[in-house]
């Protein structure tokens, strides 16, 4: 019930934000920048990415206006949104694609109108965007995988590893998957099975993991899950089966994941201060929108890029990470109800 209420609230937020953003500015001279996000399954886009991006653009360019829309995990809808933005005369499009392959069409459409495309968080391998801003996704996979392997070795765990990957249509998920394999394949632990989760949907991940818990009863030493949604789903599958929950990874440092780590249910996650990428994307977009070319600090898929390295979070360093400036969540939000005892144990106050 709680998940459904949250989805409803977020859906309402999307409608409200989209309505306000898509109306355009009363100032016909405004320089318009599109910010197109992929879904509401992850709460970050509505709560953090969009507000942070808008605030930075406003700071950098008083005459710039951000037109924000969310595709709700619908690639066709995102194509329509991009077409609408181009028709409205945007000077740059920042897009986190629902489907990395399908987004190539958006890149090509923008190119015919000389509108630069900035790929955000997820790359677009089949068409060269003008810029790519993200955390290093392959590095993320390697980091969560190695963190799990190190934990299993330190506890002398026996058995194999399950791997719950992200969406097969998300190029970033492919990079995370590649990174995970660099850590797991040479770990000495057998990879029992792996699954590419359609649309990153937790319910589908949970169903798959439930089957593996039955098939590999007593043999699963740990699970590498590619994000917090699939990690939470993995934990739910073990609990529903009445089985002991092994160390499970995550990625995104969502509130629920941090609370699971506090409680001891989830082993790790990845802290990716969204402020860093949102503001970097805003700087790149406003530079393009003003007719200039931003500097590239790296190259990925033959695209000028900025790739940031995140931080692995476990109980060992959670207090330090959470209390650092710029961390998105507040201690008061984390340390509620059932989680207060765990917070007290960690000295998180």
């Amino acid at each position: 019930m709680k998940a459904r209420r949250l989805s409803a609230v977020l859906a309402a937020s999307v409608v409200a934000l989209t309505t306000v953003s898509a109306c355009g500015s009363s100032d016909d001279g405004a320089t318009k920048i599109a910010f197109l996000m992929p879904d509401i399954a992850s709460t970050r886009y509505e709560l953090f990415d969009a507000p942070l991006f808008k605030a930075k653009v406003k700071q950098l360019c008083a005459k710039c206006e951000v037109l924000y829309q969310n595709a709700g995990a619908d690639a066709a809808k995102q194509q329509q949104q991009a077409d609408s933005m181009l028709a409205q005369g945007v000077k740059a499009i920042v897009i986190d694609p629902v489907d990395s392959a399908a987004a190539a069409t958006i890149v090509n459409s923008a190119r015919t109108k000389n509108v630069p495309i900035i790929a955000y968080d997820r790359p677009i391998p089949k068409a060269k965007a003008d810029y790519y801003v993200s955390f290093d996704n392959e590095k993320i996979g390697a980091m969560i995988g190695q963190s799990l392997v190190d934990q299993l070795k330190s506890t002398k765990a026996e058995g194999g590893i399950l791997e719950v990957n992200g969406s097969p249509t998300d190029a970033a998920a492919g990079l995370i998957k590649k990174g995970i394999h660099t850590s797991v394949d040479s770990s000495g632990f057998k990879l029992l099975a792996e699954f590419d989760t359609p649309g990153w949907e937790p319910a589908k991940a949970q169903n798959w993991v439930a089957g593996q818990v039955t098939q590999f009863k007593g043999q699963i030493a740990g699970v590498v899950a590619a994000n917090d949604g699939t990690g939470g789903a993995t934990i739910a599958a073990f609990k529903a089966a009445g089985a002991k929950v092994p160390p499970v990874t995550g990625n995104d440092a969502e509130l629920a994941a941090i609370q699971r780590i506090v409680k001891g249910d989830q082993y790790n996650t990845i802290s990716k201060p969204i402020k860093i990428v949102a503001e970097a994307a805003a700087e790149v977009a406003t530079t393009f929108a003003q007719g200039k070319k931003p500097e590239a600090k790296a190259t990925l898929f033959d695209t000028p890029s900025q790739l940031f390295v995140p931080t692995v979070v476990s109980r060992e360093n959670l207090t330090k990470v959470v209390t650092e400036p710029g961390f998105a969540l507040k201690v008061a939000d984390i340390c509620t109800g059932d989680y207060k005892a765990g917070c007290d144990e960690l000295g998180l106050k």
Side-chain angles (χ1 to χ4, degrees):
M1 290 297 291
K2 184 182 291 184
R4 287 197 290 270
R5 286 198 298 270
L6 177 57
S7 297
V9 169
L10 288 173
S13 298
V14 173
V15 173
L17 282 166
T18 301
T19 302
V20 171
S21 300
C23 287
S25 171
S26 58
D27 179 6
D28 292 335
T31 300
K32 298 176 181 178
I33 297 172
F35 191 65
L36 306 180
M37 294 295 100
D39 60 63
I40 59 172
S42 176
T43 59
R44 54 171 283 196
Y45 301 114
E46 309 306 316
L47 298 179
F48 303 112
D49 296 75
L52 288 166
F53 181 83
K54 287 183 176 184
K56 188 64 176 179
V57 168
K58 184 176 181 180
Q59 177 189 335
L60 294 170
C61 176
K63 292 186 177 180
C64 288
E65 175 194 2
V66 176
L67 306 185
Y68 168 70
Q69 291 195 329
N70 189 301
D74 186 332
K77 182 177 180 179
Q78 191 168 61
Q79 175 72 63
Q80 294 168 358
Q81 290 172 343
D83 291 342
S84 174
M85 295 298 177
L86 290 170
Q88 292 181 62
V90 296
K91 298 300 182 184
I93 294 177
V94 177
I95 181 171
D96 191 338
V98 173
D99 184 319
S100 296
T105 302
I106 295 174
V107 174
N108 293 330
S109 296
R111 187 171 291 133
T112 64
K113 295 182 178 294
N114 296 316
V115 175
I117 289 277
I118 300 97
Y120 181 83
D121 199 28
R122 302 171 183 175
I124 307 174
K126 293 190 175 182
K128 184 179 176 181
D130 295 274
Y131 211 95
Y132 176 47
V133 178
S134 179
F135 282 94
D136 188 332
N137 288 296
E138 187 172 338
K139 184 73 172 176
I140 286 171
M143 290 170 73
I144 58 174
Q146 192 60 51
S147 174
L148 176 69
V149 168
D150 291 345
Q151 171 68 5
L152 296 182
K153 288 183 176 179
S154 71
T155 58
K156 295 181 170 51
E158 296 182 356
I161 292 174
L162 293 181
E163 183 174 332
V164 186
N165 302 310
S167 172
T169 63
D170 176 356
L175 292 171
I176 294 171
K177 178 179 178 179
K178 182 179 178 182
I180 289 172
H181 276 285
T182 64
S183 297
V184 172
D185 292 354
S186 59
S187 68
F189 291 95
K190 181 180 180 181
L191 180 60
L192 299 172
E194 66 178 302
F195 177 66
D196 293 341
T197 309
W200 289 96
E201 292 184 31
K204 292 180 179 179
Q206 183 172 342
N207 287 340
W208 181 79
V209 173
Q212 307 313 302
V213 171
T214 299
Q215 181 175 349
F216 298 106
K217 187 175 182 179
Q219 300 177 51
I220 304 170
V223 183
V224 185
N227 78 342
D228 290 334
T230 55
T234 295
I235 293 165
F238 276 89
K239 287 188 172 184
K244 180 181 178 181
V245 180
V248 176
T249 73
N251 166 31
D252 285 336
E254 293 185 349
L255 174 59
I258 294 295
Q259 290 179 324
R260 287 192 294 266
I261 292 174
V262 166
K263 195 172 181 180
D265 287 341
Q266 183 166 320
Y267 176 64
N268 74 21
T269 187
I270 287 282
S271 174
K272 303 182 294 185
I274 295 169
K275 184 179 175 70
I276 293 176
V277 288
E279 293 191 347
E283 290 173 1
V284 171
T286 53
T287 300
F288 272 127
Q290 293 168 350
K292 303 173 186 177
K293 190 173 182 179
E295 178 185 355
K297 298 181 180 179
T299 302
L300 185 67
F301 295 117
D302 198 30
T303 302
S305 307
Q306 287 188 49
L307 302 175
F308 300 96
V309 178
T311 302
V312 176
V313 183
S314 66
R315 283 179 63 87
E316 291 182 1
N317 68 339
L318 186 144
T319 298
K320 180 178 181 296
V321 173
V322 168
T323 55
E324 286 178 344
F327 190 76
L329 302 173
K330 296 179 181 179
V331 173
D333 296 327
I334 297 168
C335 301
T336 60
D338 293 342
Y339 306 102
K340 190 176 184 308
C343 285
D344 290 343
E345 182 184 335
L346 293 171
L348 185 59
K349 299 178 180 178

